[in-house]
Amino acid sequence: MESTDSCQVFVYGTLKPNEANYAKYCEGKILTQQPAIAYGKLFALPMGYPAMIQGDREVQGYLFSFEDDHIFESLDELEDYQSDRHFSENLYTRQRIEIFDLERISLGWAWTYLMTLEQVSKFGGIYLENGLWVAVSKPFPLKK
């Protein structure tokens, strides 16, 4: 992870501001944050958190910038991801994807955590057509 944006992370679930894991994992560690969009497909899982898979639909979240890549130690643990395990043994896989602002202008590439469609199906995920997972937070308006 040597690129200048190695500490950029796109979050779409419990790590968002005002959600369950924000305070423990992100609060006080974020240099910058902004509402953002990624392209994929978003699902609500019965365990109370979402999963994103690869796709072409807008997924609403936040782009966080962290000071250094040590943040991945705690985020990888939360997301049950280990880079040295076979992908089928991980709950999520950490991948770099292109992120956009609300005007659909590229913000560059950031890390995010994705599941496979097979995993989502196994867990009984419910497709969220609007691309927004909400537990506590309020949606931000998207410009058409």
Side-chain angles (χ1 to χ4, degrees):
M1 288 183 247
E2 298 177 13
S3 67
T4 58
D5 60 351
S6 65
C7 299
Q8 300 282 103
V9 179
F10 176 75
V11 300
Y12 54 86
T14 65
L15 292 168
K16 295 186 306 185
N18 301 314
E19 295 294 355
N21 287 316
Y22 178 82
K24 180 176 181 180
Y25 293 91
C26 302
E27 193 168 48
K29 300 172 187 164
I30 297 171
L31 298 175
T32 63
Q33 74 179 39
Q34 72 180 91
I37 295 167
Y39 287 91
K41 287 187 177 178
L42 191 64
F43 295 82
L45 300 178
M47 297 85 81
Y49 52 85
M52 187 168 97
I53 66 170
Q54 293 180 338
D56 60 359
R57 302 297 305 258
E58 290 184 357
V59 174
Q60 299 178 49
Y62 287 83
L63 179 63
F64 292 163
S65 174
F66 294 95
E67 185 173 353
D68 60 49
D69 63 6
H70 288 99
I71 191 66
F72 293 119
E73 294 169 12
S74 61
L75 295 183
D76 287 354
E77 184 177 334
L78 172 67
E79 306 294 3
D80 192 18
Y81 168 74
Q82 292 180 22
S83 61
D84 59 349
R85 286 195 302 212
H86 187 268
F87 77 90
S88 65
E89 297 174 10
N90 287 315
L91 180 61
Y92 290 88
T93 300
R94 180 164 33 100
Q95 296 182 31
R96 283 172 48 95
I97 62 172
E98 192 170 11
I99 306 301
F100 300 85
D101 69 12
L102 301 185
E103 302 289 332
R104 313 313 184 271
I105 297 169
S106 178
L107 296 171
W109 293 75
W111 293 101
T112 198
Y113 292 87
L114 301 176
M115 271 192 190
T116 65
L117 180 57
E118 293 76 23
Q119 288 170 299
V120 168
S121 297
K122 179 178 79 171
F123 292 132
I126 299 169
Y127 178 56
L128 300 173
E129 191 171 342
N130 68 355
L132 176 66
W133 179 85
V134 178
V136 176
S137 66
K138 303 291 184 251
F140 52 84
L142 288 178
K143 298 180 180 180
K144 299 277 182 194

